[in-house]
C-alpha cells in the first residue's frame, strides 16, 4: 500500500479569440470600447464574461442603446454588479479544467452529484488493473495509521491472491476488462483514482461554497480549498468576494459575499 496526497492541477481555461472579439465589436459599433476595455482587462475568461453580459443590453457605451444613459466602464465595477444582482448565467461562458489526482472514489462519488455545468472523465477501474492500493489517510485516522496500513495491505494481498487465479496472458482484452471490473468489488472506496473535471465559473463558485463548508467531507473540502485558492488568484474579479477561514483540521472554508449567483 502507498500513502498519497490529493493533488489539484489546473489544466486548461477559456481563451478569447481576439479576431472574433473585434468582429463582434464591429457588429455593435463598439470598437472604441473594445480597445479601451481590453487594456483594462487582459484576463480572457473575465473579459469574455463581460463581453457576453454587455452584448445583452448593448452597454458598450452611451449612445448604442437609447435606453442607456450611463455605463460601468471599469471591469471590476461591472463584474461586481453582475455578482451582486445574481446575473450568474453569463459566468457559464468560461470554464476551467482541473485534474484531481490521487483522490478517492469517495471524492469522485460526491463530485458527480454536481451536475449542472460540468464535464468529467474518470480513470476506469474496469480497464485499469491496479498493481497496488494507493490511499490518502484522512486526519481522523492519523492516530491509527499503522492499523489502517495493515488492513489495506491485507486487502491488497487478497486482491493479488484472487488476481492470480486467472491466467491473464491467455485472456483477450475484453475478458481482462470483465474480470478486472469484477475484481474491483473487493477494493476499498478510499483507493486513489484520477479525475479530469471541467466546470464553468458559475458552477465552480457554487461547488467551492458547498464543498468547503465545515459539514462537507474533509477530502472534498481539502481539494476545493485548493480550487478556491487557484480561482481567487487567477480570476480575481470572479472570486474576489470569497473569504477564507482556517478550520481546525487544516482545511479552509471559503464563503462568498454573493451566494449562488
Ligand atoms: C455537506 C453535504 C452533505 C450531503 N449529504 C448528502 C447525503 O447524505 N445524501 C445525498 O444523496 N446527497 C448528499 N449531498 C449531495 C447534495 O444533496 C447535492 O446532490 C449535491 O451537493 C449537488 O448539489 P446541487 O443539488 O446544488 O446540484 P448542482 O448540480 O451543483 O446544481 C447547481 C444548482 O442548479 C440547480 N439544478 C441542478 N439540477 C437541477 C435540476 N435537475 N432541476 C432543478 N434545478 C437544478 C439547483 O438550483 C442546484 O442547486 C450532500 C452535499 C453536501 C454539500
Amino acid at each position: 500500500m502507498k500513502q498519497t496526497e490529493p493533488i489539484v492541477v489546473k489544466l486548461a481555461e477559456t481563451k478569447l479569440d481576439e479576431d472574433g472579439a473585434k468582429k463582434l465589436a464591429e457588429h455593435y459599433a463598439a470598437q472604441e470600447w473594445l480597445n479601451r476595455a481590453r487594456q483594462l482587462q487582459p484576463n480572457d475568461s473575465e473579459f469574455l464574461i463581460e463581453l457576453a453580459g454587455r452584448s445583452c443590453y448593448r452597454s458598450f457605451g452611451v449612445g448604442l442603446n437609447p435606453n442607456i444613459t450611463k455605463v460601468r466602464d471599469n471591469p471590476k465595477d461591472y463584474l461586481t454588479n453582475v455578482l451582486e444582482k445574481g446575473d450568474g448565467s453569463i459566468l457559464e461562458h468560461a470554464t476551467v479544467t482541473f485534474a484531481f489526482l490521487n483522490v478517492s472514489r469517495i471524492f469522485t462519488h460526491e463530485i458527480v452529484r454536481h451536475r449542472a455545468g460540468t464535464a468529467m472523465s474518470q480513470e476506469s477501474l474496469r480497464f485499469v488493473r491496479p498493481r497496488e492500493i494507493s490511499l490518502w489517510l484522512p486526519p481522523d485516522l492519523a492516530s491509527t495509521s499503522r492499523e489502517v496500513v495493515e488492513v489495506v495491505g491485507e486487502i491488497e494481498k487478497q486482491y493479488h491472491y484472487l488476481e492470480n487465479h486467472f491466467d491473464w496472458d491467455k485472456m483477450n482484452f475484453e475478458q481482462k476488462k470483465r474480470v478486472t471490473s469484477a475484481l474491483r468489488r473487493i477494493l476499498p472506496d478510499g483507493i486513489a483514482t484520477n479525475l479530469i473535471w471541467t466546470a464553468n465559473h458559475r458552477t465552480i463558485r457554487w461547488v467551492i461554497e458547498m464543498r468547503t463548508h465545515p459539514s462537507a467531507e474533509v477530502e472534498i473540502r481539502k481539494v476545493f480549498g485548493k480550487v478556491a485558492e487557484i480561482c481567487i488568484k487567477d480570476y480575481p474579479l470572479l472570486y474576489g468576494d470569497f473569504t477564507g477561514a482556517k478550520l481546525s483540521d487544516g482545511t479552509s472554508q471559503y464563503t462568498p459575499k454573493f451566494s449562488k449567483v
Side-chain angles (χ1 to χ4, degrees):
M1 178 210 148
K2 192 170 120 199
Q3 282 193 44
T4 54
E5 271 289 311
I7 296 169
V8 176
V9 177
K10 181 177 150 186
L11 272 184
E13 64 183 343
T14 293
K15 184 176 185 323
L16 187 81
D17 185 318
E18 301 285 350
D19 286 343
K22 278 189 195 130
K23 282 182 192 144
L24 186 87
E26 272 166 36
H27 177 78
Y28 284 112
Q31 295 96 326
E32 197 192 312
W33 173 84
L34 180 69
N35 295 336
R36 197 166 19 89
R38 195 63 174 135
Q39 299 282 321
L40 293 172
Q41 178 52 283
N43 184 307
D44 281 5
S45 299
E46 292 182 342
F47 189 74
L48 175 66
I49 289 167
E50 185 178 340
L51 197 60
R54 287 189 188 275
S55 70
C56 296
Y57 300 161
R58 297 194 177 211
S59 57
F60 298 104
V62 176
L64 297 173
N65 169 0
N67 285 342
I68 288 177
T69 52
K70 61 176 183 188
V71 293
R72 286 178 182 79
D73 265 335
N74 182 305
K76 184 169 193 294
D77 294 344
Y78 184 85
L79 287 179
T80 303
N81 184 54
V82 164
L83 297 176
E84 204 168 350
K85 283 199 303 168
D87 284 348
S89 64
I90 56 172
L91 270 64
E92 295 175 18
H93 288 293
T95 64
V96 187
T97 300
F98 293 98
F100 298 140
L101 308 176
N102 299 335
V103 291
S104 71
R105 286 194 160 234
I106 296 160
F107 170 92
T108 59
H109 190 75
E110 291 190 342
I111 194 64
V112 296
R113 297 300 301 277
H114 294 282
R115 306 143 290 174
T118 60
M120 278 161 253
S121 302
Q122 181 170 356
E123 184 178 298
S124 170
L125 265 186
R126 294 183 77 199
F127 286 89
V128 180
R129 182 155 42 103
R131 289 185 194 283
E132 64 182 343
I133 298 177
S134 299
L135 187 126
W136 173 67
L137 216 60
D140 286 326
L141 292 180
S143 61
T144 183
S145 63
R146 198 173 53 80
E147 288 81 358
V148 174
V149 171
E150 260 174 42
V151 168
V152 178
E154 188 56 34
I155 296 173
E156 191 175 81
K157 207 171 101 192
Q158 297 299 340
Y159 180 84
H160 291 313
Y161 169 74
L162 291 173
E163 189 187 22
N164 287 336
H165 279 69
F166 297 89
D167 196 347
W168 296 90
D169 291 340
K170 294 212 172 101
M171 287 155 79
N172 64 26
F173 192 69
E174 178 59 28
Q175 290 164 325
K176 285 182 191 168
K177 186 180 93 180
R178 289 216 316 265
V179 179
T180 302
S181 184
L183 276 176
R184 68 178 157 164
R185 279 164 174 76
I186 72 147
L187 293 171
D189 245 3
I191 188 169
T193 184
N194 304 302
L195 179 82
I196 309 298
W197 188 75
T198 302
N200 68 56
H201 287 287
R202 190 185 206 184
T203 295
I204 298 172
R205 282 181 58 96
W206 176 234
V207 182
I208 289 173
E209 181 179 354
M210 290 280 277
R211 297 302 182 170
T212 65
H213 191 273
S215 61
E217 220 266 346
V218 60
E219 184 184 4
I220 202 163
R221 190 166 57 243
K222 187 178 166 75
V223 169
F224 273 86
K226 290 175 199 263
V227 170
E229 281 168 26
I230 293 170
C231 289
I232 291 167
K233 179 171 89 41
D234 290 359
Y235 314 101
L237 302 191
L238 297 177
Y239 296 85
D241 62 320
F242 276 84
T243 45
K246 271 260 177 261
L247 301 174
S248 58
D249 61 7
T251 61
S252 295
Q253 176 179 14
Y254 286 88
T255 314
K257 184 171 170 201
F258 310 112
S259 175
K260 206 173 193 189
V261 298

